[in-house]
Amino acid sequence: MKLKAVLFDLDGVLYQGERAVPGAAEAVAWFRERGIPHLFLTNTTSRPRSALVEKLARMGIRVSEEDLFTPPVAARQWLERRRCRSIALFVPGATRKEFEGLDLAGDEEQTAGAVVLGDLGEGWDFATLNRAFRLLMADEKAPLVALGLTRYWKAEDGLRLDVGPFVKALEYATGKEAVVLGKPASPFFQAALERLGAGAGDTLMIGDDIRGDVEAAQRAGLRAALVRTGKFRPADLELGVEPDALLDSVADLPGWWAAHAG
Amino acid sequence: MKLKAVLFDLDGVLYQGERAVPGAAEAVAWFRERGIPHLFLTNTTSRPRSALVEKLARMGIRVSEEDLFTPPVAARQWLERRRCRSIALFVPGATRKEFEGLDLAGDEEQTAGAVVLGDLGEGWDFATLNRAFRLLMADEKAPLVALGLTRYWKAEDGLRLDVGPFVKALEYATGKEAVVLGKPASPFFQAALERLGAGAGDTLMIGDDIRGDVEAAQRAGLRAALVRTGKFRPADLELGVEPDALLDSVADLPGWWAAHAG
């Protein structure tokens, strides 16, 4: 295998809950010190990148904000590379910051160059969803850009719909297929590769999710390592997905890389 | 062909806009006088059946309310035959009347025996859609019953999302497949057959929509006649769908029936 770059999953690989996986800080430092291109991929959009950087720092893991690759970061890059103008945002307030400086559509505009959908939560009502729908119908070339396809999440008071169901509603209503910038969709991995300037075949994804990390990365042409931490269960190995590497934890990645990546 | 029952599409078959198709009243009377079992199928849920009966009467077409088969009528029958209890309705006020007398769930209940989705329009907000979602997740056996899958409709101020996108949102979020009681879904035709006590192969659907009437009815096992009125276009005949009969209009149905149905 000839590998040049790494994509790290966060939750379950570098930490579990509020505790670092032993050896994670050293593993990340190993790649940083050698100048091996890498990014940290996460679908989390509920808090700003700075909060994630602080959380990791509290656990002794040094990561810079620029190396955190989230759906909004990927979407911004995707929109910039296609020179999209008059972009209509349907994302929560904290996520809007990630799109500062782009050419954004005003609330009253009847057309848009692109429609970006995030987890608006309580912000969704009929008028808001219908506005996104009309903008997509007003210009058949306007893409529907989705910050992931997560179905729901568990809030304190019970389950809550995430962005995915609203993306599916608009896909069905408009007949358009969304560009999904979040795991496990291939465009998210491709955007990360563009950012690194790396080829798919030269890049390793390391994750704890046999479907969302390993299978998804391999579908996008990447190599993928599975760790036995986080949500890993032995039964994951019987699903017909063959990781390129199987490691006890991210702590073993530098040793594996030294032996196999050349 | 051995035919015993008829399903009439309304719009484009019996009338176009506010005018009856010439001969439609006589054709309907011909079947009524002979006691040939028949129903009138429509996806319209925006106004009560009584308003449709009046509209038809103004055009000289005599139809009784009991013979109008709409998505709410089909849904009610479906729920009654399965003895569903604690039914949660997400339908507009006018449609609620069609479900009077059933065992309905209160607004505060945490579980439901079935969830019924209609075109709530402005009534959709996050809390409402999330409540339907939680009810469907609370009991894995609770069916999602949809009053059609229409994508959108054209209101005076522009396009408006109909029930379909919200059904798709909940299907995706819950992993459940909706029971769709509206054309072109097969369960709607099956419910109409149950109501008539007729077999699929003994029943003719007559409509002006090569996909939504003819192809859909044939997929459900029925015979289907296409009329050259309403939304019919000659190009419809080149789509690979073969109607069992092709008539200039519904006025020709009695003559065709007399010649072919025995």
Side-chain angles (χ1 to χ4, degrees), chain A residues 15 18 30 34 40 65 76 84 88 103 119 148 163 174-175 204 208 213 217 230 233 241:
Chain A
Y15 59 80
E18 296 297 319
W30 193 89
R34 277 159 187 76
F40 302 89
E65 213 168 300
R76 184 191 181 111
C84 286
D103 181 31
D119 177 21
V163 63
T174 64
L204 180 82
D208 65 327
D213 295 320
R233 297 287 172 273
V241 181

Side-chain angles (χ1 to χ4, degrees), chain B residues 205-238:
Chain B
M205 169 81 204
I206 179 165
D208 65 326
D209 184 334
I210 186 82
R211 295 277 188 216
D213 295 321
V214 175
E215 184 179 47
Q218 289 178 335
R219 200 185 307 126
L222 286 77
R223 307 282 185 167
L226 182 68
V227 289
R228 294 179 187 274
T229 54
K231 67 168 68 168
F232 171 81
R233 297 287 172 273
D236 294 346
L237 300 173
E238 293 152 25

Side-chain angles (χ1 to χ4, degrees), chain A residues 35-56:
Chain A
I36 298 169
H38 60 278
L39 288 172
F40 302 89
L41 260 64
T42 173
N43 276 358
T44 302
T45 59
S46 56
R47 38 190 191 166
R49 281 183 289 159
S50 56
L52 269 173
V53 168
E54 279 167 34
K55 173 177 177 164
L56 289 162

Side-chain angles (χ1 to χ4, degrees), chain B residues 232-260:
Chain B
F232 171 81
R233 297 287 172 273
D236 294 346
L237 300 173
E238 293 152 25
L239 297 173
V241 181
E242 197 78 46
D244 296 281
L246 180 59
L247 307 175
D248 282 345
S249 87
V250 70
D252 293 343
L253 186 62
W256 182 89
W257 187 274
H260 296 89

Side-chain angles (χ1 to χ4, degrees), chain A residues 57-230:
Chain A
R58 277 198 302 275
M59 297 187 285
I61 303 169
R62 209 182 111 200
V63 163
S64 77
E65 213 168 300
E66 295 71 48
D67 294 340
L68 276 182
F69 202 70
T70 63
V73 170
R76 184 191 181 111
Q77 176 186 301
W78 192 94
L79 294 162
E80 283 178 335
R81 297 207 171 204
R82 280 152 193 84
R83 298 177 196 282
C84 286
R85 304 192 58 172
S86 190
I87 298 158
L89 296 180
F90 294 84
V91 303
T95 307
R96 289 189 77 89
K97 283 187 228 144
E98 300 281 11
F99 296 92
E100 268 173 15
L102 294 184
D103 181 31
L104 301 180
D107 284 350
E108 302 300 317
E109 290 185 49
Q110 311 271 316
T111 60
V115 172
V116 180
L117 240 68
D119 177 21
L120 259 191
E122 301 281 350
W124 285 122
D125 57 20
F126 182 81
T128 303
L129 193 64
N130 205 56
R131 179 169 144 70
F133 166 63
R134 286 183 179 182
L135 290 172
L136 289 165
M137 295 295 277
D139 180 353
E140 67 175 24
K141 292 191 303 295
L144 171 58
V145 177
L147 305 184
L149 269 185
T150 307
R151 286 172 162 80
Y152 58 85
W153 57 284
K154 201 163 166 16
E156 280 186 16
D157 69 334
L159 302 182
R160 292 176 77 88
L161 294 165
D162 204 301
V163 63
F166 297 93
V167 174
K168 292 296 173 182
L170 290 177
E171 283 191 330
Y172 178 73
T174 64
K176 295 188 182 191
E177 191 183 342
V179 178
V180 181
L181 294 165
K183 290 186 288 182
S186 290
F188 189 52
F189 292 102
Q190 283 148 7
L193 296 174
E194 281 182 22
R195 169 75 165 273
L196 288 175
D202 301 333
T203 304
L204 180 82
M205 171 79 204
I206 178 164
D208 65 327
D209 183 335
I210 187 80
R211 295 275 187 217
D213 295 320
V214 174
E215 184 179 46
Q218 289 177 336
R219 200 186 306 125
L222 287 77
R223 306 283 185 162
L226 181 68
V227 290
R228 294 179 187 272
T229 55

Side-chain angles (χ1 to χ4, degrees), chain B residues 36-74:
Chain B
I36 297 169
H38 59 279
L39 289 172
F40 301 91
L41 259 61
T42 172
N43 277 357
T44 300
T45 59
S46 56
R47 38 191 192 166
R49 280 183 288 160
S50 56
L52 269 173
V53 168
E54 280 168 33
K55 173 177 176 161
L56 289 160
R58 279 196 302 276
M59 298 187 285
I61 303 170
R62 205 184 114 201
V63 163
S64 75
E65 212 168 301
E66 294 70 49
D67 293 339
L68 276 182
F69 202 71
T70 63
V73 171

